[in-house]
Amino acid sequence: MLRVKQISGVCSLTLGNLIKSEHFVPNVIYMQCIRWKRKPIWLPTAKTKMFRVPQRPQIPTDEYLELKRLFNNYRTSMKSLMNHFENEFLKNQEQFDETVINKQAEDDFIKCNLINDEWNKKVAKVREVRLPKVKKANKELVLKRLIKKEERDLSKMQKIEEHVKKLKEEVKTFITAENIDEAIEEALTNIVSHDYAIDLKGNIYKGKYTNGQETNV
């Protein structure tokens, strides 16, 4: 008997019945035929073996005792293993009990608070040592900035005073209503002309309001 094995996941019995049909063409990605080494599990007991009583095998005494000893050892190991699993299951039940969980949470909270209090005390001691140093450093920094600001203000005032003195000296040359006649007479007597030319050699040629001399720049 042949059994069809495929990737599509169809039951072997259903696929075997379908393959017997003449009009069935399997559409699968991969197909492999395997010959059964024994009767398939879904077939019933054969008629010739239905009422047969199998003969009990005759085992030697030594072999029977050895098999019994091995079976007793196996049964003892399995019993101890099952007891271990039961104990672990009970431990897990106790561990995941709501009251146990709440108690563990409270204990953990108390421990965390104690650790936090100890850490706060350590940090407070460090802060008490650090804050005076920081305060002193900030005070020195502020004093340095104030000194620099005073120096900048003083330099600005000196520049302003120099500029004011310069302006006061220049005020004497300003033309006012009192000295406008003198300024006009001085401008007429001292004529300043910028009407001149320069050649390629650098000689300056004055205009008609000058003496007309050639000078070399």
Side-chain angles (χ1 to χ4, degrees):
M1 183 180 293
L2 296 178
R3 181 172 68 90
V4 179
K5 183 180 180 181
Q6 62 174 354
I7 298 176
S8 59
V10 180
C11 180
S12 301
L13 179 59
T14 304
L15 187 61
N17 293 330
L18 290 174
I19 289 175
K20 293 178 182 178
S21 176
E22 296 179 356
H23 302 286
F24 174 74
V25 179
N27 184 12
V28 292
I29 300 173
Y30 173 76
M31 181 182 291
Q32 183 179 6
C33 295
I34 301 175
R35 185 175 296 276
W36 282 95
K37 293 183 180 180
R38 55 177 294 174
K39 185 178 69 173
I41 58 176
W42 59 82
L43 293 179
T45 305
K47 293 181 180 179
T48 56
K49 298 180 180 180
M50 188 174 297
F51 300 103
R52 189 185 65 173
V53 178
Q55 187 179 1
R56 189 170 184 177
Q58 297 295 329
I59 302 175
T61 305
D62 297 338
E63 187 175 353
Y64 172 77
L65 293 175
E66 182 65 20
L67 291 174
K68 187 176 181 181
R69 184 185 67 82
L70 294 174
F71 177 73
N72 290 333
N73 292 336
Y74 169 76
R75 185 172 58 185
T76 304
S77 300
M78 292 302 297
K79 188 175 181 180
S80 62
L81 188 62
M82 291 300 296
N83 290 331
H84 174 71
F85 288 155
E86 288 178 0
N87 293 331
E88 291 296 324
F89 178 73
L90 293 175
K91 288 181 182 178
N92 291 332
Q93 279 188 340
E94 293 177 358
Q95 183 178 1
F96 292 106
D97 190 7
E98 186 176 359
T99 57
V100 175
I101 292 173
N102 293 333
K103 186 177 179 181
Q104 289 179 354
E106 290 177 0
D107 295 339
D108 186 54
F109 181 75
I110 293 170
K111 291 179 181 178
C112 290
N113 277 335
L114 293 175
I115 295 171
N116 192 21
D117 293 338
E118 292 179 358
W119 182 76
N120 287 334
K121 291 178 182 178
K122 293 180 181 178
V123 172
K125 291 180 180 178
V126 175
R127 185 170 58 248
E128 289 175 358
V129 177
R130 178 176 55 85
L131 285 178
K133 295 180 179 179
V134 173
K135 188 176 180 180
K136 185 178 179 181
N138 291 335
K139 187 175 180 180
E140 292 177 355
L141 182 61
V142 170
L143 289 174
K144 288 180 181 179
R145 289 180 178 176
L146 289 174
I147 292 169
K148 288 183 180 179
K149 186 177 182 300
E150 290 178 358
E151 292 177 355
R152 287 197 301 269
D153 295 340
L154 183 61
S155 62
K156 286 181 181 179
M157 290 300 296
Q158 290 177 356
K159 290 180 181 179
I160 292 170
E161 289 177 358
E162 291 176 358
H163 185 64
V164 170
K165 288 180 181 179
K166 188 177 180 181
L167 290 177
K168 287 181 178 179
E169 292 176 357
E170 291 178 355
V171 165
K172 298 177 182 179
T173 61
F174 291 170
I175 298 173
T176 60
E178 298 175 355
N179 60 1
I180 188 170
D181 296 332
E182 296 177 0
I184 292 171
E185 290 179 359
E186 186 178 356
L188 291 174
T189 54
N190 298 323
I191 298 174
V192 179
S193 177
H194 300 284
D195 187 10
Y196 61 87
I198 301 175
D199 60 6
L200 294 176
K201 294 181 181 180
N203 297 321
I204 297 175
Y205 298 93
K206 300 290 184 178
K208 64 180 179 179
Y209 296 105
T210 58
N211 53 11
Q213 297 178 355
E214 294 182 1
T215 59
N216 199 2
V217 176

